[in-house]
Amino acid sequence: DKNTKYSVAYYYQNSDNGKFVEDTKDTYMKTIVDESLDLDKIDIIYKSYIACTVENEGQIENLQNVPFARYQDTYVFVEPDDKSVGIKSILDYYHAPYEDAVVFGDNKNDLKMFRDEWTSIAMGNAIDELKERATFVTKDAVDDGIAYACKHFNWI
């Protein structure tokens, strides 16, 4: 009905071919295939997905120079954000002390937000590099790690 107003929000990814979905069998997001897609004409790229296994990710030369995470066996995603910048912006806006901030993380894309200025909590299932930077390592995410950490610090 053209008189009905609604909004639909969903995540999608763009590709210049269907090979990523074919190779990864990923159905998490809708993939829009546009053979005329020109990455140089895209103003903002939020994440890039790269089809690769754990065994061959080391063969991708530039992958070691960017923040990426792996949640599937068949691909990684590159997330070019520094989450600590956003955290600092919010704290500054509210004139809140940095030492009052608490962050939780589990993968390589969380490394930049694990800073000395605030409490950094690594999930039990986190990568070793994140655990080494953490103020505290809690239980795995699936084992209520966030609640466990909050109880540990007497926040709840």
Side-chain angles (χ1 to χ4, degrees):
D1 181 329
K2 66 181 181 178
N3 296 320
T4 303
K5 297 189 186 250
Y6 61 91
S7 174
V8 176
Y10 64 93
Y11 294 101
Y12 65 91
Q13 57 195 10
N14 295 300
S15 177
D16 61 355
N17 63 58
K19 191 146 176 56
F20 177 83
V21 174
E22 181 183 312
D23 288 351
T24 64
K25 309 293 187 251
D26 181 64
T27 58
Y28 177 68
M29 282 189 269
K30 177 181 179 180
T31 299
I32 298 171
V33 176
D34 178 359
E35 293 178 6
S36 65
L37 180 68
D38 184 350
L39 294 177
D40 292 329
K41 292 183 179 177
I42 298 175
D43 292 331
I44 299 172
I45 297 176
Y46 296 101
K47 290 183 184 180
S48 295
Y49 293 82
I50 301 168
C52 66
T53 62
V54 174
E55 294 79 26
N56 70 7
E57 75 183 38
Q59 298 168 356
I60 302 171
E61 183 178 333
N62 291 327
L63 193 56
Q64 303 311 314
N65 301 322
V66 295
F68 74 92
R70 174 180 294 283
Y71 291 111
Q72 302 290 333
D73 292 337
T74 55
Y75 66 88
V76 297
F77 66 87
V78 177
E79 193 171 42
D81 295 329
D82 181 345
K83 295 177 182 182
S84 69
V85 172
I87 294 165
K88 284 184 175 186
S89 295
I90 292 170
L91 293 169
D92 291 344
Y93 179 84
Y94 287 105
H95 307 288
Y98 290 167
E99 62 267 13
D100 286 353
V102 177
V103 298
F104 290 82
D106 63 354
N107 219 311
K108 191 170 183 174
N109 62 321
D110 297 320
L111 284 168
K112 286 187 179 179
M113 77 172 176
F114 271 46
R115 303 178 59 96
D116 293 337
E117 292 97 327
W118 47 66
T119 302
S120 301
I121 301 173
M123 304 307 294
N125 54 292
I127 61 171
D128 289 339
E129 191 176 357
L130 203 63
K131 289 179 181 180
E132 291 166 8
R133 289 190 188 183
T135 308
F136 179 72
V137 178
T138 188
K139 293 182 177 184
D140 286 8
V142 297
D143 293 327
D144 294 325
I146 292 176
Y148 181 83
C150 290
K151 289 175 186 173
H152 170 83
F153 286 101
N154 296 313
W155 297 327
I156 58 172

